[in-house]
Amino acid sequence: MPPALLLRSPRLLLGRSRALPPLLRLRRAPGFSPSPLLVLPSHRRLSAAQLADPLAAAGVEEAVVGFVTGKRKATEVAHSVWRSIVRKGDTVVDATCGNGNDTFALLKMVADERGQGRVYGMDIQDSAIDSTSSFLEMAVDSHEMELVKLFSVCHSRMEDIVPKDSPVRLVAFNLGYLPGGDKTIITIPRTTELALQAASRIVSSGGLISVLVYIGHLGGRDELDIVESFASSLPVDTWVSCKFEMINRPVAPVLVLLHKK
Amino acid sequence: MPPALLLRSPRLLLGRSRALPPLLRLRRAPGFSPSPLLVLPSHRRLSAAQLADPLAAAGVEEAVVGFVTGKRKATEVAHSVWRSIVRKGDTVVDATCGNGNDTFALLKMVADERGQGRVYGMDIQDSAIDSTSSFLEMAVDSHEMELVKLFSVCHSRMEDIVPKDSPVRLVAFNLGYLPGGDKTIITIPRTTELALQAASRIVSSGGLISVLVYIGHLGGRDELDIVESFASSLPVDTWVSCKFEMINRPVAPVLVLLHKK
């Protein structure tokens, strides 16, 4: 009974019976030569949220008041703040592609007719890059696809990927494990710290580092400690570090936003 | 050189040379008989912010994005969220009147032509009630003034003041000392805890407890601990407890918002 299935789950089953292109396109920045990368064909399910137009998503008021009243998630607060800061034609970085939801949302924010906008996406797991790439193949047009550069590499190496002459408006992190993936593969404090340091070097004045820390898994709290330690160490004359969190839900994700003045 | 004085300070000097009414009107809820209260005439200065129309103040988007980028204060985030939740005709509580800024903002949110809106304001310091009352006398009309009930009483006793049949949409706290007042008189953890418990009993479903905790004085951190402990103890099925804070400014005020589902 597929209709009942659909009612029970918000996920749409599009693409389950369709074979995807055998090798998904990955784009690399000029001069970057990562180790050979094999991206396997994938059958995946897209959620309704993934297919939704992010431009129709919550504004800051709706997201923040919704967060306060329990109707919206921290990730929606993050996206709404991004939309207030990111402009068409900007260069942005998705430091942890995961299933590609943020990469997609960021692409919609920067995609411009002149083709100047860029999203540099990375993830240490090949399966995440595969997932992101196949999602984008289905969800965006070829013009927008040209604006995305995906790399299977640790986020601590983002400076190897983003061209030095590109002012970066936003670096987005989702810390934890890949939803639906191998939960034993998680982002870890040491490389996260290096990645945050790298992000703080490449983000431009007026830009933002957005860190959503999932803490419901083993090691999640340790990673939050590293993020908070890094955020609180940023000099107050050049950075604004703030944190939004639920305090009667101990495993709810924590949003840390770092604005470079 | 008064013009130079004005340039150096955003404060306006209105009222400095005018005698205020010798006894300012205080209104009491029916059935409440506090100890006799003498409110002395006062010469006070009103800040530009106090005189500004709060309805022209920042919306949630402007306040939150401004908070993230260092241009807006936590108190502006609080006010913007209040405006999204409080409606004309509501009953609200200012648990710590201080200089009356919040009382004034709340009054503007609930004041309605039918005269149903109510602001119950309290402060343990007579000088704060004096200050709030004289500010309101100058800033609002007599119709609006009728909607405010001020009491010189500890915030832990708010249930003695607010009529039992009045659903309360918002209880607002500013914890710390009275700006411009005696810094040795501060709100203290024990009565703050009792006041939060009282607020959680009187606030209605769909309502909010808003707590702005100033932590830059001796005892400030202890009070924040009590607020966080209370907030984190609220059951997740009936409360949403969240916290907004700056993390590279250790003495910046912390905003805790408690929404009753």
Side-chain angles (χ1 to χ4, degrees):
Chain A
M1 292 173 65
L5 251 178
L6 280 171
L7 279 175
R8 283 207 307 275
S9 162
R11 289 179 180 277
L12 303 178
L13 304 180
L14 298 181
R16 279 178 66 81
S17 62
R18 278 192 301 155
L20 292 171
L23 188 62
L24 295 163
R25 282 177 289 161
L26 292 181
R27 295 170 178 77
R28 297 180 175 83
F32 181 74
S33 305
S35 54
L37 185 65
L38 177 64
V39 180
L40 299 173
S42 163
H43 303 272
R44 74 191 299 262
R45 299 188 302 177
L46 298 182
S47 70
Q50 283 180 313
L51 287 170
D53 176 2
L55 298 181
V60 175
E61 172 152 358
E62 190 175 343
V64 171
V65 175
F67 181 70
V68 168
T69 56
K71 297 179 182 73
R72 296 278 186 175
K73 297 176 181 175
T75 188
E76 292 174 278
V77 174
H79 280 210
S80 72
V81 172
W82 300 356
R83 278 190 293 274
S84 288
I85 287 176
V86 174
R87 296 284 171 264
K88 295 285 180 196
D90 278 351
T91 294
V92 296
V93 172
D94 185 350
T96 48
C97 284
N99 282 327
N101 293 338
D102 287 352
T103 323
F104 173 61
L106 288 168
L107 177 57
K108 289 291 179 182
M109 290 176 211
V110 302
D112 58 332
E113 291 188 356
R114 296 175 61 196
Q116 288 191 321
R118 288 288 181 281
V119 182
Y120 293 90
M122 67 206 74
D123 202 293
I124 199 166
Q125 293 190 67
D126 289 354
S127 58
I129 293 296
D130 171 21
S131 192
T132 298
S133 186
S134 61
F135 171 34
L136 294 179
E137 289 278 348
M138 283 185 281
V140 306
D141 62 31
S142 59
H143 167 72
E144 289 174 329
M145 199 68 188
E146 291 292 329
L147 309 180
V148 185
K149 318 290 178 186
L150 297 177
F151 301 89
S152 180
V153 68
C154 176
H155 53 184
S156 63
R157 290 181 57 199
M158 65 179 73
E159 285 165 299
D160 296 339
I161 292 170
V162 182
K164 295 207 187 322
D165 59 350
S166 294
V168 173
R169 183 83 71 181
L170 175 75
V171 182
F173 291 85
N174 260 317
L175 300 179
Y177 53 83
L178 172 65
D182 183 346
K183 288 189 174 55
T184 64
I185 304 178
I186 55 174
T187 53
I188 56 171
R190 179 63 192 142
T191 49
T192 291
E193 187 176 22
L194 292 171
L196 288 169
Q197 290 166 352
S200 71
R201 288 189 291 265
I202 67 170
V203 78
S204 59
S205 174
L208 188 74
I209 302 172
S210 169
V211 193
L212 193 63
V213 193
Y214 290 86
I215 53 179
H217 60 287
L218 196 64
R221 280 272 162 198
D222 294 337
E223 195 157 35
L224 178 60
D225 286 346
I226 283 289
V227 173
E228 289 197 22
S229 171
F230 175 79
S232 61
S233 75
L234 290 171
V236 73
D237 55 332
T238 46
W239 289 89
V240 180
S241 303
C242 67
K243 181 173 72 158
F244 296 12
E245 68 180 317
M246 288 293 161
I247 49 179
N248 64 339
R249 292 179 53 215
V251 298
V254 176
L255 177 62
V256 175
L257 297 175
L258 312 173
H259 170 75
K260 198 173 194 172
K261 290 184 182 174
Chain B
M1 291 174 65
L5 251 178
L6 279 171
L7 279 175
R8 283 208 306 276
S9 161
R11 288 179 181 278
L12 302 179
L13 304 180
L14 299 182
R16 279 179 65 82
S17 61
R18 278 193 301 156
L20 292 171
L23 188 62
L24 294 162
R25 282 177 289 161
L26 290 182
R27 294 169 180 79
R28 296 181 176 82
F32 181 79
S33 305
S35 53
L37 184 66
L38 177 63
V39 180
L40 299 173
S42 162
H43 303 272
R44 75 190 301 261
R45 300 187 302 177
L46 298 183
S47 70
Q50 283 180 313
L51 287 169
D53 176 4
L55 298 179
V60 175
E61 171 151 358
E62 192 176 343
V64 171
V65 175
F67 181 70
V68 169
T69 56
K71 297 178 183 73
R72 296 277 184 174
K73 297 176 181 175
T75 188
E76 292 174 279
V77 174
H79 280 210
S80 73
V81 172
W82 300 355
R83 278 191 294 274
S84 288
I85 288 175
V86 173
R87 296 284 171 265
K88 295 285 180 196
D90 278 352
T91 294
V92 296
V93 173
D94 185 350
T96 49
C97 284
N99 281 327
N101 293 339
D102 287 352
T103 324
F104 174 61
L106 288 168
L107 177 57
K108 289 292 179 183
M109 291 177 211
V110 302
D112 58 333
E113 291 188 356
R114 296 176 61 196
Q116 288 191 322
R118 288 290 181 280
V119 181
Y120 293 90
M122 68 207 73
D123 203 293
I124 199 166
Q125 294 190 67
D126 288 353
S127 59
I129 293 296
D130 171 20
S131 191
T132 297
S133 187
S134 61
F135 171 34
L136 295 179
E137 289 278 349
M138 283 185 280
V140 306
D141 62 30
S142 60
H143 166 73
E144 290 173 328
M145 200 67 189
E146 291 291 330
L147 309 181
V148 185
K149 319 289 178 186
L150 297 177
F151 301 89
S152 181
V153 67
C154 176
H155 53 184
S156 62
R157 288 181 57 199
M158 66 179 74
E159 286 164 300
D160 296 339
I161 292 170
V162 182
K164 294 206 187 322
D165 59 350
S166 294
V168 173
R169 182 83 70 180
L170 175 74
V171 182
F173 291 84
N174 261 318
L175 300 180
Y177 53 83
L178 172 65
D182 184 346
K183 288 187 173 55
T184 64
I185 304 178
I186 55 174
T187 53
I188 57 171
R190 179 62 192 143
T191 49
T192 291
E193 187 175 21
L194 292 171
L196 288 169
Q197 290 166 351
S200 71
R201 288 188 291 265
I202 68 170
V203 77
S204 59
S205 174
L208 188 74
I209 302 172
S210 170
V211 193
L212 193 63
V213 192
Y214 290 86
I215 53 179
H217 61 285
L218 196 65
R221 280 272 161 198
D222 295 338
E223 194 158 35
L224 178 60
D225 286 346
I226 283 289
V227 173
E228 290 198 22
S229 171
F230 175 80
S232 61
S233 75
L234 290 171
V236 73
D237 56 332
T238 45
W239 288 89
V240 180
S241 302
C242 66
K243 180 173 73 159
F244 296 11
E245 68 180 317
M246 288 294 161
I247 49 179
N248 64 339
R249 292 179 54 214
V251 298
V254 175
L255 177 61
V256 175
L257 298 175
L258 312 174
H259 169 75
K260 198 173 194 172
K261 290 184 182 173

